[in-house]
């Protein structure tokens, strides 16, 4: 980054934020003059209830008094949403960016996307940099990256969710670079609560059923309480085919988006360059650009093995209909919480959370190249192609006519006594296995979280001190079953066919593996028997275990003129273990380079932490309160040694109605077990080859394209035959920890004279150095063709097919790639007032509550070492969006209004996502993504004291997501993590309490 430019940009953001804070200060001055120093808010009880241990500190205060910004979602908001899983509710907060949710049908993406881990992504820095807590303690992780599946949270028991959006590593340890999300559960439930939720979309699909039951009782004269909770959720799938915007994959055309798809087609295609096509014999080919053949990219095999030209976009396969737009899910939860005061001011407590979640993702039938394992460069081996009995006659003749392309010696020998002389090596294939149906992946995740501890309080110099000690055991196991994926080994064995003694075609290896002949050339050429042989059941098991022990002590030490000095100290030990065990077909290497191996790893750490809050001034002119706080944590990791994180904060309240707050955090994030040891996996991503003629490569770039394997005769007309490429990624044991600096400054205004108006404004700036990430495929391609050095690491990550230069896959291994930066400002306001009797039901009275939250992101940039940063805030395209890459709007907002009177409560909500432009330099026909506004309505009617009936409609006007195409947004043509892709949704719930 140009330092001067970076400083000017950040200075401009800081000045703009400061001006906004000053404007709030000035706007507040008038109304505040009417407030006398002795005035109090009308609801003193509510004010008292807000004094708690707030996320981000172990010292007691309220969310408005915290030095770092804390947003709160209460149980009413969770209930209002009507969501079966809580991640969709949290993602409506402007502070949270798009992430893995129930509508993300991903394959091989980062952070558990394939297995359906529903995550929180604060500040668009990724789920691994967002720490999720339950009752202030780490919750069971769903995978090797330590990410919590939000679907495992018992949402009926949630009293509130506190979202702390400044770095919190000094208080909670690693992972909290972006902040922490703390689910605070209800305590001391006495009675029975039950509810049933039913939901359905406006298209009459995606049905949801959810049943919850919570029972609690006090015992031992109120000294103990026990709560038992059970829940079952069932959610139906929604397919891409069920929505117009996703039913057909859309590619870029000359004048707009056009129907497109994948270059892996039924019957198999062979990608050939212009020079190879010119040497082809026995096939009639159209001229490129002629009617029905915009781009000629090779040949394909049709019905009966007929050899046909392969033209794009005309022959692309529409893979979209079989994909899930909403994943199906079933979930069973059993939880128990208990506490017992067995001695004065000393309490034992225990928590148990068990969840069994089953979900799936589904994609179009088997897709990819035919590659015989062990062959380098990659190719599909066709033995004895002139006499191979499994090949259809047109296919056999095609290979006989073109040995110059496929036979290593360039000659067809036609010697039945020596079949080894006529072996074809066929690179650049692409096949769609329509004969064996969609690829279906089932995941079952069982999670167990057990906590036991002692806590209490005692007095020291008449000041209360609180202590807590606990031990946790956490275990998560994920079992995967995949159907419809081809074993490359079996395809190769099945293609090597001879005539047996009975005159029938048979595998040369006999009955090994139950081998049957396989013919991959031709539409419908794979028989049911052959399909059953090659489409194996692929299985795996992964287990994550964690043990945590900790103890803390907090209280007031001594009195200063401005008040007591609060401190908190503690120690924590943690050990994480991970094991991945693939099934027999993987261990046998049947999937070639896609085969997975056994992976395991572990680490442990010991941490010591301390926190202090010092009141400096109180009840002085222009200093109603002035306090300073600091925290520090030293961590000793078994993997890389010691590290220290710290924070400092300052709070200044010049008056009762105005408070300023600021904090600086130095945080750290250690590599997760997955980042260190995860097995190599292969996925698919949309990207553009810089060598394509449509990318307008420079002469220097064309020379690099030729050096990488594109024939020199093809370079001026080179066109990619695929809309995207394979991406290979996995763990890296050489990773080092990330460091980050977080600065926040803000103001809180409270107008008691206006009935309880609160306004907050907070500026944030987070810089992450030595960031752990993969350099995505598009950035790798762009970086290579910027460096123009084929020996560079970026260029070496690009693997092209021999003979035609088509990209086969790109390696995107995790590394400490450079830096991440995000900055912006959050604005929030809430107002509650009583309404006139004319707006009430009978004599009940009425109230109105309004709440507004807005987040403006100034910057969200990624800088790879040696390159200029890419600032993606408010942009799509290039490396800012695509398959498994979530776009970051620069403005996100929500507004909610609630009217209550007696037994009836009505609400109206608005969710807003700002428009996004095209990232500079992106070659696309799309002009951008327009803003999106969603309106929600709902109501609750109470029947007596024990029953509530709730009705709701989300996305009332059925707002559809922007259509961006596959290159910019992935398989669904839009960003499923960001936009409402389900459409209008109705829900009904009934709750009873005894």
């Amino acid at each position: 980054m140009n330092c001067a430019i970076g400083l000017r940009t950040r200075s401009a953001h800081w000045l703009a934020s400061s001006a906004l804070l000053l404007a709030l200060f000035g706007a507040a001055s008038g109304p505040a003059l009417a407030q006398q120093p002795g005035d109090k808010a009308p609801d003193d009880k509510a004010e008292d209830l807000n004094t708690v241990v707030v996320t981000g500190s172990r010292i007691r205060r309220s969310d408005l008094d915290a030095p770092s910004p804390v947003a709160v979602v209460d149980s009413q908001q969770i209930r209002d949403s009507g969501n079966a899983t809580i991640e969709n509710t949290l993602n409506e907060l402007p502070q949270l960016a798009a992430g893995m949710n129930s509508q993300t049908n991903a394959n091989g993406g980062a952070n558990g996307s394939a297995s359906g881990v529903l995550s929180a992504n604060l500040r668009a820095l990724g789920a691994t940099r967002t720490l999720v807590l339950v009752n202030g303690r780490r919750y069971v992780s769903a995978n090797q990256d330590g990410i919590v599946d939000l679907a495992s949270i018992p949402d009926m028991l949630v009293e509130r969710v506190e979202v702390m959006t400044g770095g919190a590593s000094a208080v909670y340890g690693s992972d909290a670079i972006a902040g922490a999300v703390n689910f605070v559960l209800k305590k001391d439930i006495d009675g029975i609560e039950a509810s049933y939720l039913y939901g359905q979309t406006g298209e009459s699909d995606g049905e949801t059923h959810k049943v919850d039951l919570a029972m609690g009782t006090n015992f031992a004269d109120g000294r103990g309480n026990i709560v038992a909770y059970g829940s079952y959720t069932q959610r139906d799938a929604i397919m891409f085919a069920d929505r117009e915007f996703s039913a057909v994959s859309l590619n870029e055309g000359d004048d707009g988006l056009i129907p497109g798809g994948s270059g892996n087609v039924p019957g198999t295609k062979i990608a050939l360059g212009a020079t190879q096509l010119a040497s082809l014999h026995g096939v009639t080919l159209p001229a490129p650009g002629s009617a029905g053949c915009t781009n000629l990219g090779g040949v394909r095999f049709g019905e009966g093995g007929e050899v046909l030209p392969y033209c794009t976009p005309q022959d692309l396969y529409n893979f979209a209909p079989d994909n899930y737009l909403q994943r199906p899910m079933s979930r069973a939860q059993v939880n128990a919480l208990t506490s017992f005061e067995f001695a004065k001011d000393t309490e034992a407590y225990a928590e148990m959370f068990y969840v069994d979640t089953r979900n799936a993702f589904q994609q179009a039938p088997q897709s990819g190249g035919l590659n015989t394992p062990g062959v380098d460069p990659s190719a599909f081996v066709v033995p004895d192609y002139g006499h191979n009995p499994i090949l259809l006659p047109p296919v056999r003749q095609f290979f006989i006519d073109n040995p110059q392309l496929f036979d290593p010696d360039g000659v067809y020998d036609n010697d039945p006594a020596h079949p080894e002389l006529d072996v074809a090596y066929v690179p650049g294939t692409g096949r769609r296995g329509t004969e064996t149906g969609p690829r279906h992946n089932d995941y079952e995740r069982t999670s167990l979280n057990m906590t036991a501890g002692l806590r209490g309080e005692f007095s020291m110099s008449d000041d209360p001190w609180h202590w807590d000690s606990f031990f946790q055991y956490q275990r998560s196991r994920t079992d995967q079953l995949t159907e419809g994926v081809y074993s490359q080994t079996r395809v190769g064995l099945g293609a090597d066919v001879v005539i047996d003694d009975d005159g029938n075609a048979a595998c040369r290896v006999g009955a090994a593996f139950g081998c049957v002949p396989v013919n991959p050339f031709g539409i419908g050429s794979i028989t049911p028997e052959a399909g059953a042989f090659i489409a194996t059941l692929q299985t795996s098991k992964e287990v994550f275990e964690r043990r945590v022990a900790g103890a803390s002590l907090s209280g007031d030490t001594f009195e200063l003129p401005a008040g007591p000095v609060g401190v908190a100290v503690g120690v924590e030990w943690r050990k994480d273990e991970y094991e991945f065990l693939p099934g027999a077909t993987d261990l046998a290497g049947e999937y070639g380079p896609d085969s997975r191996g056994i992976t395991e790893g572990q680490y442990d750490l010991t941490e010591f932490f301390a926190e202090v809050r010092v009141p400096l001034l109180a009840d002085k002119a222009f200093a109603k309160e002035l306090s300073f706080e600091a925290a520090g944590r030293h961590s000793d990791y078994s993997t890389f040694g010691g590290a220290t994180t710290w924070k400092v904060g300052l709070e200044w309240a010049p008056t009762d109605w105005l408070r300023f707050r600021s904090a600086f955090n130095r945080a750290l994030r250690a590599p997760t077990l997955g980042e260190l040891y995860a097995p190599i996996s292969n996925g698919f991503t949309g990207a553009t080859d810089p060598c394509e003629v449509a990318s307008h490569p420079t002469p220097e770039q064309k020379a690099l394209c030729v050096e990488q394997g594109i024939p020199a005769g093809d370079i001026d007309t080179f066109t990619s035959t695929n809309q995207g490429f394979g991406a290979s990624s996995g763990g890296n044991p050489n990773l080092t920890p990330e460091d980050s600096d977080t600065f926040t400054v803000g103001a809180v205004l409270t107008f008691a004279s206006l009935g309880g108006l609160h306004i907050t404004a907070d500026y944030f700036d987070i810089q992450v150095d030595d960031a752990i990430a993969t350099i995505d495929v598009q950035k790798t391609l762009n970086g290579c063709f910027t460096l123009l050095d084929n020996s560079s690491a970026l260029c070496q990550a690009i693997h092209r097919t021999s003979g035609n230069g088509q990209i086969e896959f790109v390696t995107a291994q995790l590394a400490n790639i450079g830096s991440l930066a995000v900055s912006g400002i959050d604005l929030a306001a809430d107002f509650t007032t009583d309404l006139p009797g004319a707006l009430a039901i009978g004599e009940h009275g009425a109230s109105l509550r309004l709440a507004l939250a807005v987040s403006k992101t100034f910057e969200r940039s990624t800088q790879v070492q040696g390159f200029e940063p890419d600032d993606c805030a408010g942009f799509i395209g290039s490396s800012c969006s695509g398959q498994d890459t979530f776009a970051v709007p620069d403005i996100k907002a929500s507004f909610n209004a609630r009217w209550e009177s007696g037994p009836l409560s009505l609400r109206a909500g608005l969710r807003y996502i700002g428009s996004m432009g095209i990232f500079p330099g992106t070659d696309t026909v799309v002009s951008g993504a327009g803003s999106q506004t969603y309106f929600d309505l709902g109501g609750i009617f109470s029947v007596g004291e024990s029953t509530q009936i709730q009705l709701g409609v989300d996305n009332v006007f059925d707002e559809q997501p922007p259509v961006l195409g596959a290159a910019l947004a992935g398989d669904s043509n839009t960003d499923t993590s960001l936009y409402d892709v389900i459409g209008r949704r109705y829900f009904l719930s009934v709750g009873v309490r005894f």
Side-chain angles (χ1 to χ4, degrees):
M1 177 187 289
N2 185 308
C3 294
I5 294 175
L7 288 173
R8 284 199 298 270
T9 302
R10 289 175 179 268
S11 297
H13 294 164
W14 164 243
L15 289 173
S17 304
S18 299
L20 180 56
L21 295 177
L22 289 173
L24 286 171
F25 179 87
S29 299
L33 293 177
Q35 180 182 342
Q36 300 301 316
D39 289 348
K40 292 186 178 180
D43 190 353
D44 289 332
K45 180 179 180 182
E47 185 175 318
D48 294 339
L49 288 175
N50 282 335
T51 303
V52 293
V53 176
V54 171
T55 301
S57 173
R58 298 178 189 271
I59 300 174
R60 293 176 177 267
R61 80 278 306 285
S62 75
D63 62 315
L64 296 179
D65 293 337
S68 296
V70 177
V72 179
V73 177
D74 62 26
S75 59
Q76 181 67 58
Q77 292 169 275
I78 296 171
R79 187 165 60 249
D80 283 347
S81 70
N83 290 318
T85 52
I86 204 168
E87 95 284 353
N88 285 328
T89 306
L90 291 184
N91 284 340
E92 294 177 10
L93 286 173
Q95 294 88 344
L96 276 91
M100 284 304 305
N101 59 35
S102 301
Q103 287 75 52
T104 310
N105 185 65
N107 176 26
N111 305 145
S113 58
S115 61
V117 176
L118 309 181
S119 58
N121 179 13
L122 276 170
R123 301 299 189 203
L125 287 174
T128 54
R129 299 179 184 92
T130 301
L131 180 62
V132 175
L133 309 168
V134 172
N135 287 338
R137 291 180 293 273
R138 290 175 181 263
Y139 195 62
V140 58
S141 299
N143 60 14
Q144 72 274 19
D145 285 310
I147 297 173
V148 171
D149 184 1
L150 298 184
S152 66
I153 303 292
D155 48 2
M156 187 181 188
L157 296 183
V158 174
E159 180 179 282
R160 66 183 183 276
V161 186
E162 296 174 346
V163 181
M164 187 268 193
T165 55
S169 287
V171 177
Y172 297 114
S174 185
D175 310 338
I177 280 181
V181 179
N182 184 22
F183 293 85
V184 181
L185 303 185
K186 299 174 183 176
K187 299 178 180 179
D188 299 332
I189 294 177
D190 190 8
I192 298 175
E193 298 180 26
S195 67
Y196 168 72
L197 169 70
Y198 173 79
Q200 186 184 57
T201 75
E203 301 293 330
S204 300
D205 56 15
E207 279 194 357
T208 299
H209 302 269
K210 183 171 181 281
V211 179
D212 294 275
L213 176 64
M215 298 179 290
T217 185
N218 295 319
F219 61 89
D221 297 324
R223 292 186 294 123
N225 180 265
I226 185 168
V227 175
Y229 169 77
S231 176
Y232 181 77
T233 303
Q234 180 75 46
R235 184 182 64 209
D236 292 346
I238 299 175
M239 311 301 295
F240 276 24
D242 297 330
R243 298 295 184 269
E244 184 178 354
F245 65 84
S246 58
V248 176
S249 178
L250 299 176
N251 287 8
E252 303 258 346
D254 292 335
D255 301 314
L257 295 174
I258 59 175
S262 169
N264 296 318
V265 300
T268 304
K269 69 100 187 277
I270 302 176
L272 299 170
T275 303
Q276 294 171 312
L277 287 167
S279 71
L280 207 61
H281 301 294
V283 183
T284 302
L285 299 174
S290 60
C293 190
T294 305
N295 297 295
L296 178 63
V299 297
R300 63 184 178 90
F301 301 93
E303 299 283 351
E306 181 183 5
V307 184
L308 301 167
Y310 171 69
C311 301
T312 60
Q314 287 83 2
D315 293 327
L316 295 175
Y317 176 79
N318 179 28
F319 55 78
D322 290 324
N323 289 18
Y324 285 145
L325 187 62
Q326 175 174 275
R327 290 182 178 225
M329 183 193 74
S330 65
R331 177 186 61 188
Q333 294 176 281
V334 177
N335 307 141
L337 301 91
T338 187
S339 61
F340 177 63
E341 186 180 3
F342 64 88
K344 186 178 186 303
D345 297 328
T346 303
E347 182 178 70
Y349 64 92
E351 301 171 351
M352 187 279 290
F353 303 91
Y354 176 81
V355 187
D356 185 314
T357 303
R358 305 182 185 205
N359 77 90
F361 82 79
Q362 181 171 289
Q363 295 178 302
Q366 168 73 22
S367 172
L370 300 170
N371 294 307
T372 301
V375 176
D376 187 22
S378 296
F380 182 67
V381 178
V382 183
D384 192 16
Y385 57 83
H387 303 92
N388 194 316
I390 194 61
L391 297 180
L392 295 166
V395 179
R396 191 181 304 118
Q397 191 62 45
F398 172 78
F399 288 120
I400 291 173
D401 291 342
N402 295 282
Q404 78 283 2
L405 293 178
F406 306 111
D407 195 320
D409 64 8
V411 177
Y412 173 51
D413 293 282
N414 193 19
D415 185 352
H418 295 281
E420 71 277 3
L421 297 177
D422 291 324
V423 178
Y425 289 80
V426 188
T429 58
R431 195 181 202 284
R432 183 68 58 170
T434 50
E435 297 93 339
T436 52
R439 288 164 290 171
H440 188 84
N441 301 262
D442 283 311
Y443 294 91
E444 180 179 8
R445 181 177 301 108
T446 55
S447 299
L448 176 66
N449 187 111
M450 296 189 296
T451 303
L454 296 172
R455 61 191 171 204
E457 63 177 71
F458 61 90
S459 294
M460 182 183 295
S461 301
D462 296 327
D463 292 318
W465 282 73
H466 300 267
W467 60 273
D468 190 359
S469 61
F470 67 92
F471 177 81
Q472 289 181 290
Y473 173 75
Q474 301 170 345
R475 186 178 193 272
S476 176
R477 168 174 168 165
T478 301
D479 291 277
Q480 176 190 3
L481 172 63
T482 301
E483 301 173 276
V485 175
Y486 287 4
S487 160
Q488 297 286 5
T489 297
R490 298 185 184 209
V491 173
L493 291 174
D496 188 4
V497 176
V498 296
I499 300 297
D500 64 14
D501 295 338
D502 296 325
N504 299 316
C507 297
R508 188 181 300 273
V509 297
F513 300 103
C515 185
V516 297
V518 177
N519 174 21
F521 299 107
I523 293 178
S525 62
I526 295 179
T527 65
E529 294 78 14
F533 170 58
I534 63 176
T536 60
L537 293 179
Q538 186 181 26
T539 63
S540 69
K541 177 185 76 172
E542 59 181 317
V543 177
F544 178 89
E545 285 189 314
R546 170 179 288 163
R547 294 166 178 83
V548 186
S552 62
L553 176 67
S554 64
D556 295 335
T557 54
F558 55 90
E559 195 82 16
L560 292 178
V565 175
V567 299
V569 295
V571 61
E572 188 170 291
W573 171 85
R574 185 168 82 249
K575 183 176 183 179
D576 290 355
E577 299 174 275
Y578 169 70
E579 181 181 50
F580 177 83
L581 297 173
T585 52
D586 273 295
L587 294 176
E590 292 197 29
Y591 307 103
D594 293 344
S595 299
R596 302 167 297 178
I598 296 174
T599 307
E600 59 184 3
Q602 66 176 41
Y603 70 79
D604 62 80
L605 71 157
T606 302
E607 301 181 291
F608 300 90
F609 57 87
E611 185 178 359
V612 61
R613 186 171 189 266
V614 182
L616 303 176
L617 294 173
D619 298 321
K620 303 294 185 183
F622 298 106
K624 182 69 177 176
E625 180 185 339
L626 178 65
S627 61
F628 167 82
E629 76 167 45
R633 175 180 287 251
H634 180 77
S635 306
D636 186 7
Y637 287 82
S638 62
T639 46
F640 63 84
T644 300
T645 59
W646 52 270
K647 77 167 186 176
V648 292
L650 191 68
E651 301 169 68
W652 173 42
T655 69
D656 287 333
W657 49 268
L658 177 63
R659 175 182 297 271
F660 294 101
R661 56 190 180 187
S662 183
F664 180 84
N665 292 261
R666 171 66 54 84
L668 170 144
R669 187 179 77 85
T672 69
L673 287 172
E675 290 168 336
L676 291 169
Y677 307 117
I680 300 297
S681 63
N682 294 279
F684 182 85
T685 186
T688 301
D689 190 341
C691 294
E692 284 199 60
V693 63
S695 297
H696 311 294
T698 66
E700 294 79 11
Q701 290 173 330
K702 287 182 179 180
L704 179 57
C705 296
V706 173
E707 187 178 356
Q708 289 187 351
I710 295 177
D714 298 352
I715 190 60
D716 290 329
T717 58
F718 180 76
T719 300
S720 178
T721 60
N722 295 311
Q723 74 171 67
F725 316 112
S728 174
S729 62
N732 179 357
N734 298 316
L735 293 172
T736 59
E738 299 176 339
D739 295 312
S740 75
D741 291 336
T742 300
F743 173 70
T744 60
V745 61
V748 180
L749 297 92
T750 303
F751 302 112
S753 60
L754 296 181
L757 171 64
H758 300 291
I759 302 175
T760 65
D762 290 283
Y763 170 80
F764 59 90
D765 188 310
I766 305 174
Q767 178 82 27
V768 183
D769 294 321
D770 294 324
I772 299 170
T774 56
I775 303 176
D776 66 58
V777 169
Q778 191 64 65
K779 190 180 290 294
T780 298
L781 294 169
N782 294 346
C784 169
F785 283 85
T786 299
L787 290 173
L788 296 176
D789 178 6
N790 200 39
S791 64
S792 67
L794 291 177
C795 291
Q796 289 297 303
I798 302 170
H799 303 265
R800 294 184 181 269
T801 301
S802 174
N804 57 45
Q806 296 288 331
I807 292 179
E808 186 175 351
F809 69 94
V810 177
T811 301
Q813 190 179 29
L814 284 162
N816 294 99
I817 65 167
S819 62
L820 308 175
V822 60
S823 65
I825 190 167
D826 294 329
L827 299 173
D830 65 84
F831 173 69
T832 303
T833 186
D834 293 331
L835 296 174
L839 299 177
I841 297 176
E843 301 298 323
H844 289 289
S847 65
L848 176 68
R849 180 180 180 184
L850 307 176
L852 171 70
V854 182
S855 186
K856 167 67 176 176
T857 301
F858 298 138
E859 176 186 10
R860 171 55 180 92
S861 63
T862 301
Q863 183 174 21
V864 177
Q865 293 174 0
F867 293 89
E868 290 296 310
D870 288 343
D871 185 358
C872 289
F875 291 106
I876 55 174
S878 187
S879 59
C880 298
S881 65
Q883 188 76 12
D884 294 335
T885 300
F886 308 137
V888 181
D890 58 354
I891 295 180
K892 191 177 177 184
S894 65
F895 174 77
N896 288 280
R898 174 178 294 279
W899 170 88
E900 290 186 74
S901 180
L904 184 62
S905 172
L906 301 176
R907 68 171 180 91
L910 177 150
R911 296 172 279 141
Y912 176 81
I913 299 169
S915 61
M916 288 183 284
I918 300 298
F919 188 81
T922 304
D923 187 9
T924 178
V925 296
V926 177
S927 60
S931 63
Q932 298 282 292
T933 303
Y934 307 107
F935 292 93
D936 307 322
L937 296 173
I940 299 175
F941 182 72
S942 298
V943 181
E945 297 293 326
S946 62
T947 303
Q948 282 190 337
I949 300 172
Q950 179 181 5
L951 293 169
V953 184
D954 287 345
N955 195 356
V956 172
F957 299 111
D958 200 24
E959 181 81 5
Q960 297 297 295
V963 178
L964 307 174
L968 291 182
D971 290 350
S972 65
N973 301 315
T974 194
D975 192 332
T976 58
S977 67
L978 178 62
Y979 298 112
D980 185 336
V981 296
I982 300 303
R984 185 185 297 116
R985 183 175 67 94
Y986 307 95
F987 63 90
L988 163 70
S989 72
V990 178
V992 295
R993 178 179 299 174
F994 306 101

